[in-house]
């Protein structure tokens, strides 16, 4: 018996199967279109079994997911564990209305479709995946977890932009916050590691992966997140710019003749680490280039770390100080340099990093000095596990 987790992106779909009893991973898969509309590649791994890779000729996205589900259901190597009893979807945006994990039915699908304009690449993909499950696994209950949901309680002073109020009232323009499943998981895990109940610690959680955001948490509740109306605000990322002076956008549109579409592409795909370094969007590769003396890579890393440090400081004061700073995501979990660079300057908030623990870190681990007033936790984020657990809780009531 297992629980299937689906993460549907615009050009790829990730699948994870978890044992219903233990929530241990049983199998995983990736369906990837790689730019071809009718041809997808499915890659599957079951237990310790070898990788299975197949080309699929499919007329559209939904049939691709249906085919992938059939293949997943007939995987050798995972034994009887494959019978799927419930499906949990990672959905990017729930708008203002959907603030917690939900059971998916026709009415909920209509509600989700109503906010499709807020994440036009992801929401339609998520709905297609839901309908593919209905076709391939009729009657199996489905649950949705929304990346924005953890931020349902952020106060108006944190979510309003200082623009005409009617933009909010009439157009729904406000800050939302993203990566909520990871931030929610780290909130619970940090409370466990600190040995306090989840209503206790004041946390700033930095999720640093290809995308990146930080959340301030107090009393188990998110107070704010660095991403805003879209996942373009906040930290500098692999290819995304993060926060900019809005005046510079007007300037390049007016003075340098960029079209809106060009600007959109540059800010999402040609900025961040890639834009500054000119080498790569991948942090590890930029670190390697900097180590070989590439000056713009060094500069890109410095800007990256500076921005994380400055935003951590800003978030910490929104919750009146820090009990723990949390690093997660591919960069947060794996780059001792970045962690050290961010913490240098945060001593004023009680952060004292232990250099040798930082250098030899095995998540989940506390890497602050024994006497540090604020702890520094490195946590391996487990978004799929969190979705599987919440799906099980909603469908079967078990924790
Ligand atoms: P995603 O946001 O796609 O889930 P990840 O959380 O896996 O991405 O993070 C990917 C980022 O983590 C990449 O920039 C990668 O270079 C970086 N990363 C992974 N391993 C290391 C490492 N050992 N040192 C530095 N950066 C790393």
């Amino acid at each position: 018996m297992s629980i299937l987790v689906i993460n549907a992106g615009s050009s790829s779909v990730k699948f994870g199967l978890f044992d219903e009893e233990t929530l241990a991973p049983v199998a995983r898969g990736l369906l990837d279109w790689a730019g071809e509309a009718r041809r997808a590649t499915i890659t599957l791994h079951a237990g310790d079994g070898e990788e299975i890779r197949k080309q699929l000729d499919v007329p559209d996205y939904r049939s691709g997911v249906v085919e992938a589900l059939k293949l997943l259901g007939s995987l050798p190597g995972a034994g009887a564990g494959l019978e799927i009893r419930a499906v949990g979807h990672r959905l990017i945006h729930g708008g203002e209305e959907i603030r917690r994990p939900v059971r998916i039915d026709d009415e909920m699908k209509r509600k989700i479709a109503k906010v499709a304009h807020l994440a036009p690449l992801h929401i339609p993909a998520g709905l297609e995946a839901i309908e593919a499950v209905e076709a391939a696994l009729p009657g199996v209950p489905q649950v949705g977890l929304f990346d924005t949901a953890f931020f349902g309680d952020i106060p108006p002073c944190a979510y309003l932009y200082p623009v005409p109020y009617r933009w909010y009232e009439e157009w729904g323009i406000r800050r939302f916050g993203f990566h909520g499943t990871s931030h929610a998981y780290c909130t619970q895990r940090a409370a466990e590691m600190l040995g306090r109940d989840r209503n206790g610690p004041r946390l700033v959680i930095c999720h640093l992966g290809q995308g990146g955001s930080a959340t301030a948490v107090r009393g188990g509740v998110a107070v704010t997140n660095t991403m805003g109306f879209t996942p373009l605000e906040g930290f500098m990322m692999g290819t995304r710019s993060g926060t900019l002076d809005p005046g510079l956008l007007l300037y390049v549109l007016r003075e340098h003749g960029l079209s809106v579409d060009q600007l959109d592409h540059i800010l999402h795909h040609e900025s961040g680490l890639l834009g500054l370094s000119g080498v790569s969007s991948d942090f590890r590769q930029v670190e390697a280039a900097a180590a070989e003396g590439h000056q713009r890579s060094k500069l890109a890393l410095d800007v990256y770390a500076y921005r994380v440090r400055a935003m951590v400081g800003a978030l910490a004061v929104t919750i009146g100080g820090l009990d723990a700073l949390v690093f997660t995501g591919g960069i947060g979990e794996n780059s001792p340099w970045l962690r050290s660079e961010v913490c240098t300057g945060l001593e004023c908030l009680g952060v004292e990093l232990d250099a040798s623990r930082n250098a030899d870190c095995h998540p989940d681990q506390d890497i602050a000095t024994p006497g540090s007033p604020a702890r520094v936790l490195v946590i391996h984020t487990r978004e799929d596990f969190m979705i599987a657990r919440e799906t099980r809780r909603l469908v079967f009531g078990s924790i």
Side-chain angles (χ1 to χ4, degrees), residues 5 7 17-19 22-26 90 145 179-189 192 207 327-330 333 363-364 379-390:
V5 172
N7 183 351
L17 266 181
F18 293 81
D19 183 279
T22 61
L23 293 181
V26 180
R90 178 182 180 194
L145 266 82
H179 291 135
T181 308
S182 174
H183 289 295
Y185 174 76
C186 289
T187 298
Q188 294 174 8
R189 184 72 188 108
E192 270 171 33
H207 175 109
F327 288 102
T328 191
E333 292 169 32
D364 300 344
I379 294 177
H380 173 53
T381 194
R382 296 175 71 196
E383 288 160 295
D384 283 1
F385 167 85
M386 182 82 178
I387 295 172
R389 191 170 66 184
E390 287 295 295

Side-chain angles (χ1 to χ4, degrees), residues 17-356:
L17 266 181
F18 293 81
D19 183 279
E20 187 189 318
E21 281 293 312
T22 61
L23 293 181
V26 180
R28 66 194 153 87
L30 173 70
L31 178 66
D32 194 347
W33 274 264
E36 290 191 65
R38 289 167 176 272
R39 194 132 222 263
T41 307
I42 173 101
T43 316
L44 298 165
H45 298 259
D48 297 334
E50 65 194 61
E51 177 179 295
I52 297 173
R53 186 182 277 257
K54 237 180 133 178
Q55 297 282 341
L56 302 177
D57 288 311
V58 281
D60 52 39
Y61 191 94
R62 191 183 307 180
S63 1
V65 180
V66 169
E67 282 305 307
L69 288 171
K70 284 187 194 153
L71 283 169
L72 196 62
S74 60
L75 258 184
L82 286 186
E83 188 195 328
I84 295 166
R85 290 236 297 155
V87 179
H89 294 265
R90 178 182 180 194
L91 298 168
I92 299 299
H93 217 305
E96 284 211 289
E97 219 179 304
I98 312 175
R99 294 169 166 220
R100 22 204 62 84
V102 294
R103 280 289 284 264
I104 308 258
D105 54 17
D106 285 343
E107 196 198 332
M108 187 51 67
K109 282 196 291 182
R110 279 193 291 276
K111 272 192 187 168
I112 298 169
K114 274 210 286 193
V115 293
H117 60 284
L118 293 172
L121 293 180
H122 288 93
I123 291 178
L127 287 167
E128 290 285 346
I130 288 169
E131 295 192 343
V133 171
E134 287 171 354
L137 304 168
V140 172
Q142 301 193 69
V143 165
L145 266 82
F146 298 81
D147 264 26
T148 49
F150 189 51
F151 309 106
D153 296 313
I154 66 177
C157 62
Y159 72 65
L160 283 174
Y161 289 107
V163 288
Y165 191 69
R166 66 186 161 76
W167 285 22
Y168 170 61
E169 286 180 306
E170 292 171 21
W171 297 343
I173 289 179
R174 53 161 287 174
R175 306 183 66 253
F176 289 101
F178 295 86
H179 291 135
T181 308
S182 174
H183 289 295
Y185 174 76
C186 289
T187 298
Q188 294 174 8
R189 184 72 188 108
E192 270 171 33
M193 290 172 75
L194 296 168
R196 300 156 75 152
D197 92 29
R198 69 190 286 269
N199 295 331
R202 294 162 303 170
L203 307 170
V204 171
I205 301 165
C206 295
H207 175 109
L208 305 170
Q210 196 50 29
S213 72
T215 298
V217 176
R218 187 177 47 207
V221 175
V223 174
T224 192
N225 173 264
T226 52
M227 283 178 164
F229 181 60
T230 73
L232 194 53
E233 190 177 345
F235 291 153
M236 157 180 167
M237 302 170 226
T239 58
R240 279 174 266 174
S241 63
T243 293
L244 297 173
D245 172 2
L248 88 77
L249 306 177
L250 302 174
Y251 175 82
V252 294
L253 286 172
R254 250 193 226 120
E255 300 294 323
H256 293 282
L258 293 186
S259 69
V260 172
D261 285 347
Q262 282 171 325
L263 185 57
D264 184 323
H265 192 268
I266 292 169
L267 297 177
H268 282 95
H269 302 290
E270 297 177 22
S271 299
L273 284 171
L274 177 65
L276 279 185
S277 72
V279 167
S280 174
S281 61
D282 186 281
F283 197 89
R284 209 173 349 182
Q285 291 188 22
V286 180
E287 269 191 331
E292 284 170 11
H294 189 261
Q295 277 313 304
R296 265 177 50 194
S297 293
K298 174 87 183 79
L299 214 52
L301 295 175
D302 287 345
V303 176
Y304 188 102
Y306 170 84
R307 289 190 152 222
V308 175
R309 187 191 313 125
M311 287 186 204
V312 167
L315 290 195
V317 297
T318 68
I319 48 174
L322 266 186
D323 293 313
L325 172 63
V326 178
F327 288 102
T328 191
I331 301 168
E333 292 169 32
N334 293 301
S335 174
W337 177 85
L338 187 271
R339 293 191 297 257
S340 157
E341 200 63 17
V342 168
C343 290
T344 304
L346 295 183
E347 297 84 358
C348 59
L349 293 171
V351 172
E352 289 169 16
L353 189 69
D354 183 308
S356 68

